[in-house]
């Protein structure tokens, strides 16, 4: 490790990484990873475990469902998640009303032992678009009951405002439809939310399909990304989890480093002074 | 006997069972579950005082994978 006096960090020649404080805070926890990962759709439980580990993620989403009375399969899954020693973020997936979401959140708090909840109220079966009215209604009740609400919403600025007004410290706008892998449909809307709420923790949730989408979200200044299908449905989920780990890091570093301003015209990067083969007397 | 719906299936139970007794009667083995009666959460502390009635809709949920 060598130190350069005018740099605010140390340059490690071996790893090529800058030594900076890359921790951040969400929901009262200080974390280093900005990748939130889902636990569904993997080819096998072992594959899920490996993918979560290699992703470096410190928050994994889980859910609650009906299970057959004599069925013990739920335990094996939950045992793996517990053994990872990372934060769990229970969701209210499948809820179609504020009432259903509130009840699911209350049940999840008892089962998972956390006041965190990914609030998800679906308003349309075709595109699984969040219902903003029911989401806001549920968020109001859950905040009063002491939950740390992670609301999944669209990229609508006014809905984000309503959620922030209620006291949500975290907002999770969609990139695009759940499971679509289409990436960020409306980056301008996401930028508007980021600019309006510089102090909220913003997480792009849903629609991310490939690592570059995650990088793009991080470059916009989002604090984190949450994804599931993009890793679990890859041909090699474990390798894809590794890809997303570095993609999220790259995007964050890019944001912190400050992206150059776009220009309308070309501008050469190689110095024009001293350009060879040009001679005045030829004119 | 009363008829109730447990996780969407009709079941017959003895009269006046509380939630703990209902779980036992159903031989529910999945560990780490939570209960709702008629879409209202019933915390563990209220199992003994919550009596199951005819026509109740009961949901017993346990951890699964989620996104």
């Amino acid at each position: 490790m060598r130190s350069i006096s005018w740099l605010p960090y140390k340059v490690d020649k071996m790893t090529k990484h800058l030594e900076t404080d890359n921790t951040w805070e969400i929901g009262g926890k200080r974390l280093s990873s900005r990748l939130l990962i889902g636990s569904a759709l993997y080819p096998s439980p072992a594959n899920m475990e490996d993918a979560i580990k290699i992703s470096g993620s410190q928050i994994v989403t889980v859910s609650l469902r009906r299970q057959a009375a004599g069925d013990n399969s739920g335990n094996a899954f939950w045992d793996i998640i517990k053994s990872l020693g990372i934060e769990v973020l229970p969701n209210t997936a499948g809820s179609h009303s504020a009432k259903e979401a509130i009840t699911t959140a209350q049940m999840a708090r008892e089962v998972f032992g956390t006041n965190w909840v990914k609030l998800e109220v679906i308003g349309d079966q075709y595109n699984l678009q969040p219902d903003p009215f029911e989401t806001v209604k549920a968020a109001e009740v859950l905040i009063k009951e002491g939950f740390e609400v992670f609301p999944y919403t669209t990229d609508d600025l006014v809905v984000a405002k309503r959620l922030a007004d209620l006291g949500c410290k975290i907002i999770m706008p969609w990139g695009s439809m759940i499971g679509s892998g289409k990436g960020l449909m409306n980056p301008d809307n996401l930028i508007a939310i980021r600019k309006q709420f510089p102090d909220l923790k913003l997480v792009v949730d849903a629609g991310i399909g490939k690592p570059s989408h995650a990088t793009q979200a991080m470059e916009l200044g989002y604090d984190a990304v949450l994804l599931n299908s993009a890793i679990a449905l890859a041909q090699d989920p474990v390798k894809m989890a590794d890809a997303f780990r570095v993609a999220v890091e790259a995007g964050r570093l890019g944001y912190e480093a400050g992206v150059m301003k776009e220009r309308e015209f070309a501008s050469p990067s190689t110095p024009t002074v001293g350009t060879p083969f040009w001679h005045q007397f030829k004119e | 006997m009363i008829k109730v719906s447990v996780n969407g299936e009709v079941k017959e139970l003895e009269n006046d069972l509380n939630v703990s007794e209902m779980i036992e009667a159903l031989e529910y083995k999945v560990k780490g579950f939570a209960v709702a009666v008629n879409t209202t959460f019933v915390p563990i502390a209220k199992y003994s005082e919550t009596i199951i009635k005819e026509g109740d809709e009961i949901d017993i949920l346990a951890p699964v994978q989620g996104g």
Side-chain angles (χ1 to χ4, degrees):
Chain A
M1 188 84 67
R2 71 192 161 95
S3 291
I4 302 172
S5 59
W6 51 270
L7 282 176
Y9 40 72
K10 290 177 179 174
V11 178
D12 182 344
K13 280 195 288 189
M14 299 303 288
T15 63
K16 297 179 191 162
H17 279 306
L18 303 179
E19 194 183 77
T20 55
D21 177 18
N22 58 358
T23 62
W24 66 301
E25 183 275 333
I26 188 165
K29 301 280 180 185
R30 185 148 286 279
L31 306 172
S32 52
S33 170
R34 291 172 179 272
L35 172 58
L36 284 63
I37 192 170
S39 57
L41 304 172
Y42 293 87
S44 70
N47 192 274
M48 174 199 74
E49 184 177 359
D50 289 346
I52 294 172
K53 281 180 179 168
I54 205 86
S55 74
S57 180
Q58 293 165 300
I59 300 178
V60 60
T61 53
V62 294
S63 198
L64 286 176
R65 282 288 179 269
R66 292 169 168 174
Q67 284 171 49
D71 185 357
N72 272 315
S73 63
N75 294 340
F77 161 74
W78 182 219
D79 287 345
I80 292 174
I81 297 295
K82 279 190 287 188
S83 75
L84 295 171
I86 59 179
E87 304 298 328
V88 292
L89 176 58
N91 69 27
T92 63
S95 300
H96 291 85
S97 66
K99 168 74 175 163
E100 287 177 9
I102 291 163
T103 300
T104 308
Q106 291 165 334
M107 295 171 89
R109 179 158 64 178
E110 186 176 86
V111 170
F112 295 110
T114 176
N115 69 334
W116 285 12
V117 65
K118 172 179 164 178
L119 174 60
E120 185 176 344
V121 189
I122 297 305
D124 184 84
Q125 245 353 87
Y126 173 70
N127 67 357
L128 299 179
Q129 183 167 334
D131 182 326
F133 309 101
E134 294 297 303
T135 301
V136 168
K137 212 188 290 180
E140 185 168 16
V141 173
L142 292 172
I143 286 170
K144 282 181 186 155
E145 291 188 7
F147 283 89
E148 187 73 67
V149 180
F150 293 56
Y152 165 59
T153 178
T154 62
D155 50 27
D156 187 298
L157 180 66
V158 178
V159 176
K161 188 173 185 318
R162 293 279 181 273
L163 290 166
D165 288 347
L166 291 173
C168 286
K169 298 185 192 76
I170 301 153
I171 295 180
M172 304 203 297
W174 69 357
S176 49
M177 295 176 287
I178 295 174
S180 70
K182 286 177 178 290
L184 311 187
M185 281 189 308
N186 291 303
D188 289 348
N189 288 4
L190 295 173
I191 290 167
I193 294 172
R194 177 72 285 177
K195 284 191 174 162
Q196 285 292 313
F197 304 105
D199 299 327
L200 294 184
K201 292 293 183 279
L202 297 180
V203 181
V204 169
D205 177 12
I208 286 176
K210 48 191 176 185
S212 57
H213 296 153
T215 305
Q216 187 189 2
M218 298 306 295
E219 284 170 352
L220 297 182
Y222 273 66
D223 295 284
V225 294
L226 197 170
L227 54 102
N228 191 155
S229 305
I231 290 177
L233 300 183
Q235 289 185 24
D236 183 341
V238 178
K239 189 169 273 189
M240 190 58 89
D242 203 19
F244 270 100
R245 181 181 58 77
V246 290
V248 169
E249 283 179 16
R252 180 64 193 180
L253 280 174
Y255 169 72
E256 288 178 3
V259 177
M260 67 165 277
K261 290 259 185 295
E262 268 188 31
R263 291 185 285 218
E264 294 300 319
F265 301 100
S267 177
S269 37
T270 305
T272 49
V273 175
T275 303
F277 317 124
W278 173 86
H279 300 278
Q280 194 172 19
F281 73 81
K282 281 184 178 170
E283 284 185 351
Chain B
M1 298 291 280
I2 57 168
K3 275 189 181 172
V4 297
S5 175
V6 179
N7 286 350
E9 279 181 37
V10 176
K11 301 273 183 187
E12 284 203 339
L13 294 175
E14 299 286 337
N15 292 333
D16 300 326
L17 293 185
N18 64 30
V19 172
S20 300
E21 292 161 343
M22 173 195 71
I23 295 291
E24 211 167 297
L26 292 170
E27 297 180 340
Y28 190 83
K29 291 192 178 69
V30 183
K31 281 180 189 160
F33 59 84
V35 176
V37 178
N38 301 323
T39 330
T40 297
F41 170 55
V42 181
I44 293 169
K46 292 199 171 167
Y47 279 8
S48 56
E49 64 188 69
T50 304
I51 306 300
I52 303 300
K53 299 180 194 68
E54 171 78 24
D56 276 350
E57 293 173 351
I58 296 139
D59 280 276
I60 308 173
L61 306 185
V64 294
Q65 301 87 333

